[in-house]
Each structure stands twice: as structure tokens, then as C-alpha cells.
Amino acid sequence: MSSEEEGDVILVTGASGFVGQHVVKLLMERCRDVREVRAFDIRPFKWIKELRVTETYVDLVHVRGDITQLSDIRKACRGVDAVVHTAGYVDVGSLPDMEKLKAINIVGAENVLKACIDNHVTRLVYTSTQDVVLGMEPIENADESSVGIPNTFLYEGYAGTKYEAEKIILKANSLILENGRKLKTCSLRPTTMYGEGDIYFLPPTLKASKQQGGVLMRIGDGKALFHASYVGNVAWAHILALQQLKRQRSEDDISGQACFISDDTEPMNLFDFMEPFLQARGFRLSRYHIPYWFMYIVAFIVEFLAWFLQPFSKINFPINRNVLHHMCTSCYFSYHGAKRYLNYSPLFSVEESMERTVRYVKRLRL
């Protein structure tokens, strides 16, 4: 491994993904103690237009590999000082692909951990999700001390596999490696994210609006508060986590801990949050609200049909009862824990975050 004088070698899994590219960018632009970033992904690494780094002293090495193959990630971790494990699979549809969720989220985490141990990597930061604490109850301005793991996950497949992965990573904290050094791990639980490279949140909603004649239908009474965070700020929290794990701290130590990551984006109703992005594409919100109970019944019927047809054809509807419940139930978090453990404060203001995202949304092909 590299010495501190030479600079660190950091491996980012899922580097071609939404969070991954922002982490890579910040490592290359803002980390003076990093000399090489290894971008590990099953897809060839290609910069999102808005994120391309043009001037840097940090080497970027593209490593193509499969997170479910231990040999791939073990080889990629040779000579690495720290790993940021952002790779994961998201599926909150009506019939989630459990085989794929388990393979990428759970087996992938196990493989990353084994590779770190085999290569004497001393720092491992894991990208978890707020969904590991989502059940059926509202969550309002919650932090690590006020909310726990629910008896039943709202998104059983996705959240369940992410939580299993989180437990695997955190359990390994303080493991003594063969060379006598100690492995330090932590887990970050970001809220729903927006920003450049998003494929899960804004693009599907904008596509649905386009298909509905440029109108996004409001669902619910508009009282539920929703919290989204800019992906650049979430990536910044990962950088700070790497830095904190490197330091010897006896108090407020992030190692072995999980903490929520949000920013100063104001909690508001989901549909109100969507309005500036709809306007950027010439779309608008509907003038009336569809009752939650009505859409819940529709979703129930659709899910029943999907279940009934499953032996013949698997139809994984993105809008289902759980998604509707999430849309119409308050859910927002404090970043008090991140401030305490990571010395975190958002790197990008709300205004800059929104401006960057609007520019990205304007060029999207829907």
C-alpha cells in the first residue's frame, strides 16, 4: 500500500453510478492526500457531461469488474488504502428481483469486505440508505437516536438486503488484519437524492409527466413532507467519512457507526419539490389532487394482477402500494449525527444544487 507521503489509493465501487461519479469527482478535485482513484464498475467508466474533471493531479484508473465475483474485487483492491463501496442494486417495484438484490447488495458487500481483509485495506465506507429505517410510520426530523430498524421494512426486498449488507460491514469494524493494523468501517444512510446522473428519481417522474400530456398528477392531500438531498452533498459526506476513519478519535468516532446524510434542502411535499424540474421541461403539476385511498385501491388491483400473471409473465410495476405510502407519508431526517461524527456541513448550497440539477434535467432525453 501507499505511504502517507505518497498519497492514498482509493477504490470506489459502483464508480459509474449516481453517487459513485460524484465521489470520484470530489476525490480528484478536493483531496490533497489522494494520489490515485480506482473506478470499479461492471460498466465502462464514462463521465457524465456535467461532472467531467479536466484539471487534477490525481490519477484515475478504470477497473472493470463484477462486484458479485470475489476474484474481480480482490484483484482491484491490491495496493489500496481505502474503499468507498457505493455499488448496489435498487428495486422497489411490485415484484422486485430478489435474486439480483441479494447477489449485488449482500454478496457484493461480503466480497468487498473479504477483498479489504485479504489486501489489508484499513478503511471501508459503505453507502446504505434511509430505507433501512422506513416502515409504515411517519418519520419527522429523525436522527440516529430517535429512529430504529422497523419490524417490517416498507421496501422489504431492497431495504432488507441493504440492511443485511450494512450489518456485515459494521460488524467487521475494529477487525485486526494480518499485518496488525485495524480495519475501520462505517455506513452512511442518505435520503432520496437528486442531481446530475440521477436515473431513479427525477427522470422516471418526468417521463410519466410527458406521457400524461406534460402534467404530473398530484396524489394525496399535499400535507406529507418529503426530504431529498443533493447527491454532491451526499458524496461529500463520503469524503469526510474517509478522512475521519483515518484519524484516531476516542470521542464521536464514526467507526462502527451508521448515520443519516441529508442537507439543507427544505422538507416539502414531494409534488411541490418536483415543480421547478417540471417547469424546466415545460411541464406542470395538476390543479387537483387524486385521493390517496383511490390510488391505493388501484395499486392493489394492479399488484394482484401482476401476482396472478407471474407464472406467465413477470410485470414489475414501479408504482405500488409501498411507493404510494412513501409518497404520502412524512419522511425527513436531521444531519445532526453527520455533523457530530463527520464534522459535516453541506458543500453545495440549496441554490447551487437546484441550479445544477435543473441544467441536467433540461438536457435529459425522456
Side-chain angles (χ1 to χ4, degrees):
M1 290 188 293
S2 62
S3 68
E4 290 187 2
E5 289 74 24
E6 295 172 331
D8 289 336
V9 178
I10 311 295
L11 175 74
V12 180
T13 71
S16 296
F18 185 25
V19 178
Q21 284 214 21
H22 284 264
V23 171
V24 170
K25 179 179 177 66
L26 290 179
L27 283 169
M28 296 182 68
E29 290 183 338
R30 292 183 174 267
C31 295
R32 295 290 179 182
D33 59 346
V34 173
R35 67 180 174 87
E36 179 184 313
V37 175
R38 292 186 190 172
F40 180 92
D41 205 295
I42 197 168
R43 297 175 292 167
F45 185 87
K46 183 180 180 181
W47 283 112
I48 298 167
K49 178 182 177 181
E50 291 82 0
L51 300 183
R52 182 177 295 277
V53 175
T54 55
E55 294 184 11
T56 180
Y57 56 87
V58 178
D59 293 330
L60 177 61
V61 178
H62 305 162
V63 182
R64 193 169 181 181
D66 186 346
I67 203 74
T68 67
Q69 300 299 313
L70 177 57
S71 58
D72 286 1
I73 187 65
R74 181 185 279 147
K75 183 178 179 181
C77 280
R78 290 174 187 166
V80 164
D81 295 285
V83 173
V84 180
H85 180 32
T86 76
Y89 179 62
V90 180
D91 188 346
V92 295
S94 55
L95 293 173
D97 189 335
M98 288 304 303
E99 184 176 343
K100 199 169 182 179
L101 284 166
K102 290 177 181 178
I104 296 174
N105 294 346
I106 299 177
V107 176
E110 291 173 336
N111 287 344
V112 169
L113 178 60
K114 290 175 184 175
C116 287
I117 294 170
D118 291 347
N119 287 282
H120 305 152
V121 176
T122 57
R123 289 173 286 153
L124 172 56
V125 177
Y126 173 63
T127 309
S128 185
T129 170
Q130 66 168 12
D131 293 355
V132 300
V133 301
L134 297 192
M136 300 302 292
E137 299 299 320
I139 295 176
E140 298 176 339
N141 202 34
D143 61 18
E144 296 74 18
S145 64
S146 63
V147 65
I149 305 303
N151 293 326
T152 302
F153 294 112
L154 182 62
Y155 302 118
E156 189 65 41
Y158 174 60
T161 55
K162 291 294 284 185
Y163 182 56
E164 285 302 312
E166 181 179 275
K167 289 194 294 183
I168 289 167
I169 299 297
L170 295 182
K171 185 178 179 181
N173 183 62
S174 295
L175 180 71
I176 304 300
L177 304 171
E178 283 187 358
N179 63 356
R181 302 186 72 184
K182 185 184 293 185
L183 172 64
K184 292 186 176 183
T185 68
C186 68
S187 179
L188 306 185
R189 298 170 173 175
T191 67
T192 300
M193 291 171 281
Y194 66 97
E196 307 95 322
D198 171 27
I199 61 172
Y200 299 109
F201 176 35
L202 294 178
T205 308
L206 292 169
K207 287 178 183 177
S209 303
K210 182 180 180 181
Q211 292 167 357
Q212 294 164 179
V215 179
L216 178 63
M217 306 306 296
R218 295 178 185 261
I219 300 172
D221 59 12
K223 295 179 180 179
L225 297 181
F226 163 84
H227 200 178
S229 302
Y230 177 59
V231 63
N233 288 324
V234 172
W236 179 237
H238 286 70
I239 306 302
L240 296 176
L242 282 175
Q243 295 173 352
Q244 294 300 326
L245 289 178
K246 194 174 185 179
R247 296 170 182 159
Q248 300 294 328
R249 299 181 65 178
S250 56
E251 295 183 0
D252 296 335
D253 186 3
I254 186 60
S255 63
Q257 304 287 336
C259 70
F260 296 108
I261 307 298
S262 60
D263 61 15
D264 294 325
T265 305
E266 182 182 356
M268 65 182 72
N269 187 257
L270 168 63
F271 297 94
D272 293 331
F273 175 81
M274 285 298 306
E275 194 160 23
F277 307 114
L278 292 168
Q279 292 175 349
R281 296 303 301 251
F283 303 155
R284 65 175 178 84
L285 290 169
S286 64
R287 296 184 178 86
Y288 55 88
H289 297 242
I290 301 176
Y292 168 66
W293 63 264
F294 176 80
M295 288 303 300
Y296 194 88
I297 293 172
V298 171
F300 175 80
I301 295 170
V302 169
E303 287 178 54
F304 176 78
L305 290 174
W307 172 82
F308 183 78
L309 295 172
Q310 191 173 2
F312 313 101
S313 177
K314 184 176 179 179
I315 306 174
N316 189 15
F317 290 101
I319 298 297
N320 52 64
R321 287 174 294 166
N322 292 334
V323 172
L324 286 171
H325 181 83
H326 191 182
M327 290 167 57
C328 298
T329 304
S330 288
C331 180
Y332 56 100
F333 296 84
S334 163
Y335 62 78
H336 173 76
K339 189 174 182 179
R340 173 185 173 186
Y341 292 115
L342 305 178
N343 196 28
Y344 166 81
S345 61
L347 181 64
F348 302 94
S349 68
V350 176
E351 293 75 20
E352 185 177 2
S353 300
M354 296 296 286
E355 288 173 4
R356 286 169 173 253
T357 307
V358 164
R359 286 198 297 268
Y360 171 69
V361 162
K362 283 183 176 180
R363 74 163 182 84
L364 280 179
R365 295 180 63 182
L366 300 178

